[in-house]
Amino acid sequence: MIIFYEFLKHDLVSNNGASAANVLRSSEQEVYNYILADLLDAQGNKADSDVYHFSNDALNVLLAKVYMNQEDYENATTILESVVGEYSLVGDYSSVFSNGSNSEAIFRVNYSTDDQNSLAFYFYLSGLGGRREVVPSF
């Protein structure tokens, strides 16, 4: 109940009426500025200790992608220079899907039998405990 109260306490509409929900849509540049500020603030503050967390390299690749979407290739190049040469394609395609890290993994989420990815639930047949909402085509 306390969490719900905290939500209501900070809820714009609850505190200011329905007209408070009529907020103008942000411009594309305002959204990019927000994304860039968030990424730049996080840059250098990520632990690179294991493959279970978002790393500084993954953050830099995402930051470079944002720069490239804005056609700011100079900043994208500068950011990517710290990542280029650190990774390489694996020789055996099947090793891309193995647990743990590999030379190709900039960002990945690993799962174990105790900590599984629940996305398979949407692919599995109902007889296997799934919902079969996403069906691959052959």
Side-chain angles (χ1 to χ4, degrees):
M1 189 63 144
I2 292 173
I3 295 171
F4 183 69
Y5 172 74
E6 285 297 316
F7 169 76
L8 287 178
K9 188 168 86 172
H10 300 291
D11 181 44
L12 187 64
V13 175
S14 296
N15 292 326
N16 301 300
S19 63
N22 297 327
V23 177
L24 293 177
R25 182 177 178 174
S26 298
S27 70
E28 182 178 343
Q29 190 57 52
E30 288 172 321
V31 173
Y32 273 116
N33 290 343
Y34 183 84
I35 293 169
L36 286 171
D38 202 27
L39 292 173
L40 291 170
D41 184 52
Q43 196 174 32
N45 294 322
K46 307 306 298 168
D48 289 329
S49 58
D50 61 51
V51 295
Y52 293 98
H53 298 94
F54 205 77
S55 68
N56 285 302
D57 284 349
L59 184 132
N60 284 337
V61 170
L62 181 59
L63 181 58
K65 183 173 181 167
V66 171
Y67 281 135
M68 287 188 283
N69 283 339
Q70 293 186 295
E71 299 180 3
D72 184 352
Y73 302 115
E74 186 175 328
N75 275 325
T77 300
T78 302
I79 293 294
L80 288 174
E81 285 174 349
S82 67
V83 179
V84 171
E86 297 294 320
Y87 300 89
S88 62
L89 297 177
V90 294
D92 178 25
Y93 179 71
S94 65
S95 64
V96 170
F97 304 101
S98 63
N99 282 333
S101 188
N102 61 49
S103 62
E104 196 170 312
I106 295 173
F107 176 71
R108 70 189 286 167
V109 178
N110 288 309
Y111 298 95
S112 67
T113 54
D114 297 327
D115 180 20
Q116 297 181 16
N117 177 346
S118 62
L119 290 177
F121 173 73
Y122 297 100
F123 292 92
Y124 285 161
L125 297 169
S126 59
L128 297 173
R131 289 174 58 168
R132 197 66 170 173
E133 289 181 20
V134 180
V135 181
S137 60
F138 297 100

